[in-house]
Amino acid sequence: MTPRADTVVTVQMALRAAARRLADAGIATPALDAEVLLRHALGFGGDRAALFLRRPEPLPPAAADALARLLERRLAGEPVAYLTGTREFFGLPFAVGPGVLVPRPETELLVEWALGWLAARSPGPAATVLDVGTGSGAIALALGASLPPGRPHVIVGSDVSETALAVAAANRAALAGQGRAGEVALVRGDLAGWCRGPVDLLLANLPYLRPDQLAGNAELRLEPAEALVSGPDGLAAIRRLVADAPRLLPPGGAVGLEIDPAQADTVAALLGSHLPGATVRVRPDLAGLARHVTAELPAG
Ligand SMILES: C[S@@+](CC[C@H](N)C(=O)[O-])C[C@H]1O[C@@H](n2cnc3c(N)ncnc32)[C@H](O)[C@@H]1O
């Protein structure tokens, strides 16, 4: 029931009503989206406790107006992260906005694998790590912030999109301001063609969808198509990068790619044929879907 204009609307009532509207519109995570948008409207940012404590209180009119505008935009398909301007990735705040892919939780598993791979070759010489298609800088900056200080790995994030690189640079500056950024270089270029190598660890969450997968997905409509779609089968960019991997990787090097689950066998076979002798593994995400393929070359 919609509250009458003269009845007091509490924070809790507004939260319920917003979640109901989003659910009725078929949004996949209505309760979470409503909570994040209401917190943003109230100026609480990531402070969940503040919202919880204010639930019985009346919703200030300015916050009610702000929430109404945010809900309209969400219902029109804008990602929550574009509305709030930020998304947490690997425990770090990342600014995002139109023109840049919102980092996804499944990509955190690729960062975890990369950290494990780097730890396993310790002690050893510092590694050179390249994150191709860095977008907001999510993978490269999460690695930079997580690696133990004192081992001067070289970490580079690259992208073909100037918009993405500007956002990645802003994120690098913001993390550095909080003392949470390692040394990460950012480079503009098409895949890894600009890089002479060697690269010990090649990581990429490149576009991997087919055009029809984007066309049928309202949730992805406002994110940049060039960050999501790659050729008729979604594999154009991944195929080119894998073909370049033998030139870049030294003995003992490794590659980790994010994929669409349906591409697992094809990408595993591609890696196997371009990197003979490598140990190739398909790794599931938290939903059990094949999400990453890794290939590790034997040491020379
Ligand atoms: C799926 S997004 C991933 C962004 C980020 N790595 C993440 O995980 O959130 C793919 C990124 O690859 C970039 N990209 C697409 N084609 C590229 C190319 N040929 N060379 C370099 N980057 C490319 C896009 O601009 C976009 O930022």
Side-chain angles (χ1 to χ4, degrees), residues 112-177:
E112 269 172 21
W113 172 78
L115 286 172
W117 185 87
L118 287 165
R121 73 199 290 280
S122 171
T128 298
V129 184
L130 174 59
D131 166 26
V132 179
T134 196
S136 62
I139 297 171
L141 292 171
L143 284 175
S146 309
L147 285 166
R151 275 174 57 79
H153 296 301
V154 175
I155 304 171
V156 182
S158 73
D159 208 290
V160 77
S161 156
E162 268 179 37
T163 309
L165 285 172
V167 171
N171 281 323
R172 179 177 60 182
L175 289 171

Coordinates of all heavy atoms in Angstrom, one line a residue, residues 112-177:
E112 N 42.4 -13.6 -6.4 CA 42.9 -14.6 -5.3 C 43.8 -15.6 -5.9 O 44.9 -16.0 -5.3 CB 41.7 -15.3 -4.7 CG 41.2 -14.6 -3.5 CD 39.9 -15.2 -3.0 OE1 39.6 -16.3 -3.3 OE2 39.2 -14.4 -2.3
W113 N 43.5 -16.1 -7.1 CA 44.3 -17.1 -7.8 C 45.7 -16.5 -8.1 O 46.7 -17.1 -7.8 CB 43.7 -17.7 -9.1 CG 44.6 -18.5 -9.8 CD1 45.0 -19.8 -9.5 CD2 45.5 -18.1 -10.9 NE1 45.9 -20.2 -10.4 CE2 46.3 -19.2 -11.3 CE3 45.6 -16.9 -11.7 CZ2 47.2 -19.2 -12.3 CZ3 46.5 -16.9 -12.7 CH2 47.3 -18.0 -13.0
A114 N 45.7 -15.3 -8.6 CA 46.9 -14.6 -9.0 C 47.8 -14.4 -7.7 O 49.0 -14.6 -7.7 CB 46.7 -13.3 -9.6
L115 N 47.2 -14.0 -6.6 CA 48.0 -13.8 -5.4 C 48.6 -15.2 -4.9 O 49.7 -15.2 -4.5 CB 47.1 -13.2 -4.3 CG 46.7 -11.7 -4.4 CD1 45.7 -11.3 -3.4 CD2 48.0 -10.9 -4.3
G116 N 47.8 -16.2 -5.0 CA 48.3 -17.6 -4.7 C 49.5 -18.0 -5.6 O 50.5 -18.5 -5.1
W117 N 49.3 -17.7 -6.9 CA 50.4 -18.0 -7.8 C 51.7 -17.3 -7.5 O 52.8 -17.8 -7.5 CB 49.9 -17.7 -9.2 CG 50.9 -18.2 -10.3 CD1 51.0 -19.4 -10.9 CD2 52.0 -17.4 -10.9 NE1 52.0 -19.5 -11.7 CE2 52.6 -18.3 -11.8 CE3 52.4 -16.1 -10.7 CZ2 53.7 -17.9 -12.5 CZ3 53.5 -15.7 -11.5 CH2 54.2 -16.6 -12.4
L118 N 51.5 -16.0 -7.2 CA 52.7 -15.2 -6.8 C 53.3 -15.6 -5.5 O 54.6 -15.7 -5.4 CB 52.3 -13.7 -6.7 CG 52.0 -13.0 -8.1 CD1 51.3 -11.7 -7.9 CD2 53.3 -12.8 -8.9
A119 N 52.5 -16.0 -4.6 CA 53.0 -16.5 -3.3 C 53.8 -17.8 -3.4 O 54.8 -18.0 -2.8 CB 51.9 -16.6 -2.3
A120 N 53.3 -18.6 -4.3 CA 53.9 -20.0 -4.5 C 55.3 -19.9 -5.1 O 56.1 -20.8 -4.9 CB 53.0 -20.8 -5.4
R121 N 55.5 -18.8 -5.9 CA 56.9 -18.7 -6.5 C 57.8 -17.9 -5.6 O 58.9 -17.7 -6.0 CB 56.8 -18.1 -7.9 CG 56.5 -16.7 -8.0 CD 56.0 -16.3 -9.3 NE 57.0 -16.3 -10.4 CZ 57.9 -15.4 -10.6 NH1 58.0 -14.3 -9.9 NH2 58.7 -15.5 -11.7
S122 N 57.4 -17.6 -4.4 CA 58.2 -16.9 -3.4 C 59.0 -17.9 -2.6 O 58.5 -19.0 -2.2 CB 57.3 -16.1 -2.5 OG 58.0 -15.6 -1.5
P123 N 60.3 -17.8 -2.3 CA 61.1 -16.7 -2.7 C 61.6 -16.8 -4.1 O 61.8 -18.0 -4.5 CB 62.2 -16.7 -1.7 CG 62.4 -18.2 -1.3 CD 61.0 -18.8 -1.4
G124 N 61.7 -15.8 -4.8 CA 62.1 -15.8 -6.1 C 62.2 -14.4 -6.6 O 61.9 -13.5 -5.9
P125 N 62.6 -14.2 -7.9 CA 62.7 -12.8 -8.3 C 61.3 -12.2 -8.4 O 60.3 -12.9 -8.5 CB 63.3 -13.0 -9.7 CG 63.1 -14.4 -10.1 CD 63.0 -15.2 -8.9
A126 N 61.3 -10.9 -8.3 CA 60.0 -10.2 -8.5 C 59.4 -10.5 -9.8 O 60.1 -10.7 -10.8 CB 60.3 -8.7 -8.3
A127 N 58.1 -10.5 -9.9 CA 57.4 -10.9 -11.1 C 56.9 -9.6 -11.8 O 56.6 -8.6 -11.2 CB 56.2 -11.8 -10.8
T128 N 56.7 -9.8 -13.1 CA 56.0 -8.8 -13.9 C 54.6 -9.3 -14.2 O 54.5 -10.4 -14.7 CB 56.8 -8.5 -15.2 OG1 58.1 -8.0 -14.9 CG2 56.0 -7.5 -16.1
V129 N 53.6 -8.5 -13.8 CA 52.2 -8.9 -14.0 C 51.5 -7.9 -14.9 O 51.7 -6.7 -14.7 CB 51.5 -8.9 -12.6 CG1 50.1 -9.4 -12.7 CG2 52.3 -9.7 -11.6
L130 N 50.8 -8.4 -15.9 CA 50.1 -7.5 -16.8 C 48.6 -7.9 -16.7 O 48.2 -9.0 -17.0 CB 50.6 -7.7 -18.2 CG 49.9 -6.9 -19.3 CD1 49.8 -5.4 -19.0 CD2 50.5 -7.2 -20.7
D131 N 47.8 -6.9 -16.4 CA 46.3 -7.0 -16.4 C 45.8 -6.4 -17.7 O 45.7 -5.1 -17.7 CB 45.7 -6.4 -15.1 CG 44.2 -6.2 -15.2 OD1 43.5 -6.9 -15.9 OD2 43.8 -5.2 -14.5
V132 N 45.4 -7.2 -18.7 CA 45.0 -6.6 -20.0 C 43.5 -6.3 -19.9 O 42.7 -7.2 -19.6 CB 45.3 -7.6 -21.1 CG1 44.8 -7.1 -22.5 CG2 46.8 -7.9 -21.2
G133 N 43.1 -5.1 -20.3 CA 41.7 -4.8 -20.2 C 41.3 -4.4 -18.8 O 40.4 -5.0 -18.2
T134 N 42.1 -3.5 -18.2 CA 42.0 -3.3 -16.8 C 40.7 -2.6 -16.3 O 40.3 -2.7 -15.2 CB 43.3 -2.6 -16.3 OG1 43.4 -2.7 -14.9 CG2 43.2 -1.1 -16.7
G135 N 40.1 -1.9 -17.3 CA 38.8 -1.2 -16.9 C 39.0 -0.2 -15.8 O 39.9 0.7 -15.9
S136 N 38.3 -0.3 -14.7 CA 38.4 0.5 -13.5 C 39.8 0.3 -12.8 O 40.0 1.0 -11.8 CB 37.3 0.3 -12.5 OG 37.4 -1.1 -12.1
G137 N 40.6 -0.6 -13.3 CA 41.8 -1.0 -12.6 C 41.7 -2.1 -11.6 O 42.6 -2.4 -10.8
A138 N 40.5 -2.7 -11.6 CA 40.1 -3.6 -10.5 C 41.2 -4.6 -10.2 O 41.7 -4.7 -9.0 CB 38.8 -4.3 -10.8
I139 N 41.6 -5.4 -11.2 CA 42.5 -6.5 -10.9 C 43.9 -6.0 -10.5 O 44.5 -6.4 -9.5 CB 42.6 -7.5 -12.2 CG1 41.2 -8.1 -12.4 CG2 43.6 -8.5 -12.0 CD1 41.1 -8.9 -13.7
A140 N 44.4 -5.1 -11.4 CA 45.8 -4.6 -11.1 C 45.9 -3.9 -9.8 O 46.8 -4.1 -9.0 CB 46.2 -3.6 -12.3
L141 N 44.9 -3.0 -9.5 CA 45.0 -2.2 -8.2 C 44.7 -3.1 -7.0 O 45.3 -2.9 -6.0 CB 44.0 -1.1 -8.3 CG 44.4 0.0 -9.3 CD1 43.2 1.0 -9.4 CD2 45.6 0.7 -8.9
A142 N 43.8 -4.1 -7.2 CA 43.6 -5.0 -6.0 C 44.9 -5.8 -5.7 O 45.3 -6.0 -4.6 CB 42.5 -6.0 -6.3
L143 N 45.6 -6.2 -6.8 CA 46.9 -6.9 -6.6 C 47.9 -6.0 -5.9 O 48.6 -6.3 -5.0 CB 47.5 -7.4 -7.9 CG 46.8 -8.6 -8.6 CD1 47.4 -8.9 -9.9 CD2 47.0 -9.8 -7.6
G144 N 48.0 -4.7 -6.5 CA 48.9 -3.8 -5.9 C 48.7 -3.5 -4.4 O 49.6 -3.4 -3.6
A145 N 47.4 -3.5 -4.1 CA 47.1 -3.2 -2.7 C 47.3 -4.4 -1.8 O 47.4 -4.3 -0.5 CB 45.6 -2.7 -2.6
S146 N 47.3 -5.6 -2.4 CA 47.3 -6.9 -1.5 C 48.7 -7.5 -1.4 O 48.9 -8.3 -0.5 CB 46.3 -7.9 -2.1 OG 45.1 -7.3 -2.4
L147 N 49.6 -7.2 -2.3 CA 50.9 -7.9 -2.3 C 51.7 -7.4 -1.1 O 51.6 -6.2 -0.8 CB 51.6 -7.6 -3.6 CG 51.1 -8.5 -4.8 CD1 51.7 -7.9 -6.1 CD2 51.5 -9.9 -4.6
P148 N 52.4 -8.3 -0.4 CA 53.2 -7.8 0.7 C 54.2 -6.8 0.3 O 54.8 -7.0 -0.7 CB 53.8 -9.1 1.2 CG 53.6 -10.2 0.3 CD 52.5 -9.7 -0.7
P149 N 54.4 -5.7 1.1 CA 55.4 -4.8 0.7 C 56.8 -5.4 0.8 O 57.0 -6.4 1.5 CB 55.2 -3.7 1.8 CG 54.4 -4.3 2.9 CD 53.7 -5.5 2.4
G150 N 57.7 -4.8 0.1 CA 59.1 -5.3 0.1 C 59.4 -6.3 -1.0 O 60.6 -6.6 -1.2
R151 N 58.4 -6.7 -1.8 CA 58.7 -7.5 -3.0 C 58.3 -6.7 -4.2 O 57.1 -6.6 -4.5 CB 58.0 -8.9 -3.0 CG 58.8 -9.9 -2.2 CD 58.1 -11.2 -2.0 NE 57.7 -11.8 -3.3 CZ 58.5 -12.5 -4.1 NH1 59.7 -12.7 -3.8 NH2 58.0 -13.1 -5.2
P152 N 59.2 -6.1 -4.8 CA 58.9 -5.1 -5.8 C 58.4 -5.7 -7.2 O 59.1 -5.5 -8.2 CB 60.2 -4.3 -6.0 CG 61.3 -5.2 -5.7 CD 60.7 -6.2 -4.7
H153 N 57.3 -6.3 -7.1 CA 56.7 -6.8 -8.4 C 56.4 -5.6 -9.3 O 56.0 -4.6 -8.8 CB 55.4 -7.6 -8.1 CG 55.6 -8.9 -7.3 ND1 56.4 -9.9 -7.7 CD2 55.1 -9.2 -6.1 CE1 56.4 -10.9 -6.8 NE2 55.6 -10.5 -5.8
V154 N 56.4 -5.9 -10.6 CA 56.0 -4.8 -11.5 C 54.6 -5.1 -11.9 O 54.3 -6.2 -12.5 CB 56.9 -4.8 -12.8 CG1 56.4 -3.8 -13.8 CG2 58.3 -4.5 -12.4
I155 N 53.6 -4.2 -11.7 CA 52.2 -4.5 -12.0 C 51.8 -3.4 -13.0 O 52.0 -2.2 -12.7 CB 51.3 -4.5 -10.8 CG1 51.8 -5.5 -9.7 CG2 49.9 -4.8 -11.1 CD1 51.1 -5.3 -8.4
V156 N 51.2 -3.9 -14.1 CA 50.8 -3.0 -15.2 C 49.3 -3.3 -15.5 O 49.0 -4.5 -15.7 CB 51.7 -3.1 -16.4 CG1 51.2 -2.1 -17.5 CG2 53.1 -3.0 -16.1
G157 N 48.5 -2.3 -15.6 CA 47.1 -2.4 -16.1 C 47.1 -1.7 -17.4 O 47.6 -0.6 -17.6
S158 N 46.5 -2.4 -18.4 CA 46.4 -1.7 -19.7 C 44.9 -1.8 -20.3 O 44.2 -2.7 -19.9 CB 47.3 -2.4 -20.7 OG 46.8 -3.7 -21.1
D159 N 44.6 -0.9 -21.1 CA 43.3 -0.9 -21.7 C 43.3 -0.1 -23.0 O 44.2 0.8 -23.2 CB 42.2 -0.2 -20.7 CG 40.8 -0.8 -21.0 OD1 40.2 -0.5 -22.0 OD2 40.3 -1.5 -20.1
V160 N 42.4 -0.4 -23.9 CA 42.3 0.3 -25.1 C 41.5 1.6 -25.0 O 41.5 2.5 -25.7 CB 41.7 -0.6 -26.2 CG1 40.2 -0.8 -26.1 CG2 42.1 -0.2 -27.6
S161 N 40.7 1.6 -23.9 CA 39.7 2.8 -23.7 C 40.3 3.9 -22.8 O 40.8 3.6 -21.7 CB 38.5 2.2 -23.0 OG 37.8 3.2 -22.3
E162 N 40.3 5.1 -23.4 CA 40.9 6.2 -22.6 C 40.0 6.5 -21.4 O 40.5 6.8 -20.3 CB 40.9 7.5 -23.4 CG 42.2 7.6 -24.1 CD 42.3 8.9 -25.0 OE1 41.7 9.9 -24.6 OE2 42.9 8.8 -26.1
T163 N 38.7 6.3 -21.5 CA 37.8 6.5 -20.4 C 38.1 5.6 -19.3 O 38.2 6.0 -18.1 CB 36.3 6.3 -20.9 OG1 36.1 7.1 -22.0 CG2 35.3 6.7 -19.8
A164 N 38.3 4.3 -19.6 CA 38.6 3.3 -18.6 C 39.9 3.7 -17.9 O 40.0 3.7 -16.6 CB 38.7 2.0 -19.2
L165 N 40.9 4.1 -18.7 CA 42.2 4.4 -18.0 C 42.1 5.6 -17.1 O 42.8 5.7 -16.1 CB 43.3 4.6 -19.1 CG 43.7 3.3 -19.8 CD1 44.6 3.6 -21.0 CD2 44.5 2.4 -18.8
A166 N 41.3 6.6 -17.5 CA 41.1 7.8 -16.6 C 40.5 7.4 -15.3 O 40.9 7.9 -14.2 CB 40.3 8.8 -17.3
V167 N 39.5 6.5 -15.4 CA 38.9 6.0 -14.1 C 39.9 5.2 -13.3 O 40.0 5.3 -12.1 CB 37.6 5.2 -14.4 CG1 37.1 4.5 -13.2 CG2 36.6 6.1 -15.1
A168 N 40.7 4.3 -14.0 CA 41.7 3.5 -13.3 C 42.7 4.5 -12.6 O 43.1 4.2 -11.5 CB 42.4 2.6 -14.3
A169 N 43.1 5.5 -13.3 CA 44.1 6.4 -12.7 C 43.5 7.1 -11.5 O 44.2 7.3 -10.5 CB 44.5 7.5 -13.8
A170 N 42.2 7.5 -11.6 CA 41.6 8.2 -10.4 C 41.5 7.2 -9.3 O 41.7 7.5 -8.1 CB 40.2 8.6 -10.8
N171 N 41.2 5.9 -9.6 CA 41.2 4.9 -8.5 C 42.5 4.7 -7.9 O 42.7 4.5 -6.6 CB 40.6 3.6 -9.0 CG 39.1 3.6 -9.2 OD1 38.4 4.2 -8.3 ND2 38.6 3.0 -10.2
R172 N 43.6 4.7 -8.7 CA 44.9 4.5 -8.2 C 45.3 5.7 -7.3 O 45.8 5.5 -6.2 CB 45.9 4.5 -9.4 CG 47.4 4.3 -9.0 CD 48.3 4.2 -10.2 NE 48.2 5.4 -11.0 CZ 48.8 5.6 -12.2 NH1 49.6 4.6 -12.6 NH2 48.7 6.6 -12.9
A173 N 44.9 6.9 -7.7 CA 45.2 8.1 -6.8 C 44.4 8.0 -5.5 O 44.9 8.3 -4.4 CB 44.8 9.3 -7.6
A174 N 43.1 7.6 -5.6 CA 42.3 7.5 -4.4 C 42.9 6.5 -3.4 O 43.0 6.7 -2.2 CB 40.9 7.2 -4.7
L175 N 43.3 5.3 -3.9 CA 43.8 4.3 -3.1 C 45.2 4.7 -2.5 O 45.5 4.5 -1.3 CB 44.0 3.0 -3.8 CG 42.7 2.3 -4.2 CD1 42.9 1.1 -5.1 CD2 42.0 1.8 -2.9
A176 N 46.0 5.4 -3.3 CA 47.3 5.9 -2.8 C 47.0 6.9 -1.6 O 47.8 6.9 -0.6 CB 48.1 6.6 -3.9
G177 N 46.0 7.7 -1.8 CA 45.6 8.7 -0.7 C 45.3 8.0 0.6 O 45.4 8.6 1.7

